[in-house]
Amino acid sequence: MSKEKKVFYKDLRFSARVVGVVLLIVAILFAMGDMLMD
Amino acid sequence: MKYNFKNGLLWLAIYTLLALVPMAIALAGDNPPHRTFWIELGVAMGFIGLGTMALQMIFSGRIASVAPVWGMDNVLQFHREIGIVAFLFTLAHPVILLIADPEFIKYFDPTVNLPRAAALSFVTVAIFAILITSLWREALKLNYEWWRLIHGVLGFGIVFVGITHSIQVSHYLDSLWQKIAIGLTMGICAYMVIHTRVVRPWMNSKKLYKVKDVTLERGDSYTMTIAPDGFKRASFKAGQFFWMSVGDEVLKMQQHPFSVSSSDEDPNICFTAKVLGDFTATWKDIKVGTPVQLEGPFGSFTLKEDHPLFMVMGGIGVTPAMSIIRSLVDKKDKRQVILVYASENWESITYKDELDELDKLPNIEVIHSVAEPPAGYSGESGFLDKEFFEKHIPSNKNHFIYYICGPEVVMDITETSLRELGVHWTHIYSERFQIV
């Protein structure tokens, strides 16, 4: 992938990473489980 | 449909929620006692890994109702990028669990449970294999057809084992309804692989087109004209593409995407291809009457509302532009069209005679840019760059819709130049076929 394309709006890598981070936060919340309730 | 942030966020939100379906099913039952943070995190990674891997089947499923919204190339690009995320979550599942409690190694121990150990070992190897073969297919010299077959088999295997594993472990999926729910939701996704690669090709093989004509064009290109054999031609919009295979064999591995070059008013369908690979090299020998199978149409490279058009096409990438312009002429649509056609040299300009005629129409302007101009040539020459676009884009630039298709380098330079010159991103449409 060219340097230009990396910075271009339609590079969907950023969107995928945002989704990945959101999913990771959900996973951490899932793992905290009871700790969140206390 | 036009690109905008709102639609983008909506689709990402839908995707995220769907990826969390396995976890939601797990949490909907009677929750077992909480173990350590790291064990539960490892489990969460597994549920998300399964959800994201299963959704990959939907993306690669060539779903006609999703692809036109964002363009098949963008959908596949997202499939590729989110695939890396899916890989990381799936890999994190055993890694975190083994670090949290080495006792989990028993899941890989063939003396404890041979089928389970074999299945989980397969998935561990398969997620690496699917990632490596996709990111470095060309470097590995793996041809597209074999890659696609391997990709489908491994993807299906990973999701199938993932479903079975989550049901078999049963820690969070204790109730029967949970087992059925996870099996059904993830199973539907896994079925998409079979549907796309077996069921749909089989259905397409029942609707065979016949070759009417194969003609030589300028620039070492051929135009193949096909017609439906006893049924109504597939409806498409000018600028869209089909996956095409020649012959009447069911489950033919060799299938290639080609943009339609004819008008959407034409009862036949024409494809024009430059002789670049093994498949296009055979076009000149294809006989009249040869059966052709089509899958599609796909693509969002189509007319948007009634804006004037600024099209930048490189080489044989001009075919969707020809389809759009021919359709506009057939429909007597008088909107302004500026076509920039970048070619390697004067002899390689496909459709040159027809473009000369179109250029005479009051609403159509064709600007050739030739990389290696012949002696005495006075038109635009060299490679496209920002100065070229500064000179040629209209002053009311954001009233136009921009379409870009051609070699990667032409598309990169054009997209970047247009953005730098103030063209809003929602006005730019491009189609890239080189995904893997």
Side-chain angles (χ1 to χ4, degrees):
Chain A
M1 191 180 286
S2 72
K3 196 176 173 188
E4 289 84 354
K5 200 178 156 196
K6 274 183 189 166
V7 297
F8 199 62
Y9 71 98
K10 260 191 275 176
D11 183 356
L12 294 161
R13 187 168 296 172
F14 178 73
S15 305
R17 284 177 183 174
V18 170
V19 170
V21 170
V22 171
L23 292 173
L24 183 62
I25 292 168
V26 175
I28 291 169
L29 293 175
F30 176 96
M32 289 173 78
D34 294 346
M35 287 183 258
L36 282 175
M37 305 295 177
D38 296 337
Chain B
M1 182 170 173
K2 283 185 68 172
Y3 297 137
N4 62 47
F5 285 116
K6 207 172 125 191
N7 281 325
L9 282 175
L10 178 69
W11 278 100
L12 287 179
I14 291 171
Y15 175 87
T16 308
L17 289 174
L18 290 175
L20 292 170
V21 163
M23 187 183 276
I25 293 171
L27 288 174
D30 294 328
N31 289 340
H34 189 264
R35 294 166 292 184
T36 68
F37 171 82
W38 290 106
I39 289 179
E40 298 299 348
L41 183 66
V43 171
M45 293 294 187
F47 282 130
I48 294 174
L50 176 59
T52 47
M53 281 288 179
L55 280 178
Q56 291 293 76
M57 314 290 153
I58 305 271
F59 279 112
S60 57
R62 298 180 186 169
I63 300 173
S65 56
V66 174
V69 178
W70 293 103
M72 195 66 194
D73 58 338
N74 290 333
V75 170
L76 289 178
Q77 188 69 43
F78 186 72
H79 170 79
R80 176 191 165 106
E81 300 300 341
I82 205 73
I84 297 168
V85 173
F87 164 81
L88 291 173
F89 274 100
T90 310
L91 181 66
H93 172 58
V95 169
I96 294 175
L97 286 176
L98 284 171
I99 293 171
D101 184 355
E103 281 287 307
F104 281 111
I105 196 70
K106 69 178 183 218
Y107 280 86
F108 288 94
D109 186 347
T111 61
V112 177
N113 185 329
L114 179 62
R116 182 176 72 184
L120 297 181
S121 301
F122 159 77
V123 167
T124 311
V125 174
I127 58 170
F128 278 97
I130 207 165
L131 183 85
I132 291 166
T133 53
S134 300
L135 295 184
W136 296 286
R137 179 182 73 83
E138 286 187 341
L140 293 167
K141 301 195 189 319
L142 187 60
N143 88 18
Y144 177 80
E145 286 75 27
W146 277 105
W147 167 81
R148 189 162 179 259
L149 180 68
I150 293 168
H151 201 73
V153 170
L154 290 180
F156 181 83
I158 290 167
V159 175
F160 180 78
V161 172
I163 297 168
T164 315
H165 175 60
S166 62
I167 291 172
Q168 187 260 329
V169 172
S170 244
H171 186 75
Y172 273 96
L173 303 171
D174 198 33
S175 314
L176 180 64
W177 76 263
Q178 286 176 298
K179 295 185 203 311
I180 292 171
I182 200 112
L184 269 180
T185 51
M186 301 297 103
I188 287 169
C189 295
Y191 168 74
M192 281 308 298
V193 178
I194 297 169
H195 185 82
T196 311
R197 291 158 202 250
V198 182
V199 178
R200 200 186 291 153
W202 178 76
M203 285 157 67
N204 290 335
S205 72
K206 302 287 171 201
K207 281 191 167 185
L208 291 175
Y209 288 75
K210 289 281 168 70
V211 173
K212 280 184 81 174
D213 192 25
V214 179
T215 52
L216 178 65
E217 302 273 1
R218 275 173 72 113
D220 202 18
S221 302
Y222 287 89
T223 291
M224 184 196 295
T225 305
I226 61 170
D229 189 17
F231 57 93
K232 194 168 168 264
R233 153 172 95 56
S235 175
F236 70 92
K237 288 180 182 169
Q240 288 192 300
F241 70 92
F242 286 87
W243 289 85
M244 182 235 273
S245 58
V246 174
D248 54 5
E249 304 99 309
V250 186
L251 306 184
K252 202 171 169 68
M253 271 177 68
Q254 202 173 53
Q255 198 188 33
H256 300 267
F258 286 100
S259 291
V260 177
S261 56
S262 50
S263 161
D264 55 18
E265 300 277 299
D266 192 327
N268 301 318
I269 298 180
C270 299
F271 299 103
T272 305
K274 194 176 173 69
V275 179
L276 289 171
D278 294 347
F279 179 58
T280 44
T282 64
W283 279 34
K284 64 180 187 305
D285 302 318
I286 292 175
K287 302 276 182 282
V288 171
T290 302
V292 169
Q293 298 176 42
L294 294 185
E295 181 181 344
F298 295 106
S300 61
F301 208 70
T302 53
L303 288 173
K304 319 290 173 196
E305 297 148 10
D306 53 359
H307 287 273
L309 315 176
F310 190 98
M311 307 170 119
V312 183
M313 304 289 139
I316 200 62
V318 74
T319 51
M322 284 308 290
S323 176
I324 290 172
I325 295 173
R326 284 166 167 168
S327 302
L328 290 175
V329 171
D330 282 351
K331 290 169 182 157
K332 303 190 176 10
D333 187 321
K334 305 285 185 201
R335 76 179 76 190
Q336 190 184 353
V337 178
I338 300 171
L339 170 65
V340 173
Y341 187 1
S343 304
E344 204 175 322
N345 53 53
W346 196 245
E347 287 70 40
S348 68
I349 300 174
T350 311
Y351 309 122
K352 182 171 176 304
D353 295 342
E354 187 178 345
L355 288 171
D356 287 347
E357 289 303 311
L358 289 168
D359 193 36
K360 291 174 188 164
L361 296 174
N363 61 319
I364 297 177
E365 182 187 1
V366 180
I367 304 166
H368 289 286
S369 178
V370 182
E372 297 161 12
Y377 174 77
S378 59
E380 293 285 355
S381 61
F383 293 102
L384 300 181
D385 55 19
K386 191 177 166 185
E387 280 105 76
F388 174 91
F389 291 109
E390 212 159 10
K391 186 172 156 191
H392 290 289
I393 62 169
S395 53
N396 54 344
K397 59 183 83 129
N398 279 318
H399 187 51
F400 278 71
I401 296 285
Y402 296 77
Y403 293 85
I404 310 165
C405 189
E408 290 282 302
V409 62
V410 171
M411 297 181 73
D412 290 343
I413 289 167
T414 307
E415 287 176 344
T416 313
S417 302
L418 293 178
R419 291 284 288 133
E420 286 174 2
L421 291 168
V423 175
H424 196 261
W425 69 268
T426 56
H427 285 239
I428 304 173
Y429 288 83
S430 55
E431 193 114 84
R432 294 173 190 264
F433 288 100
Q434 195 65 32
I435 309 293
V436 290

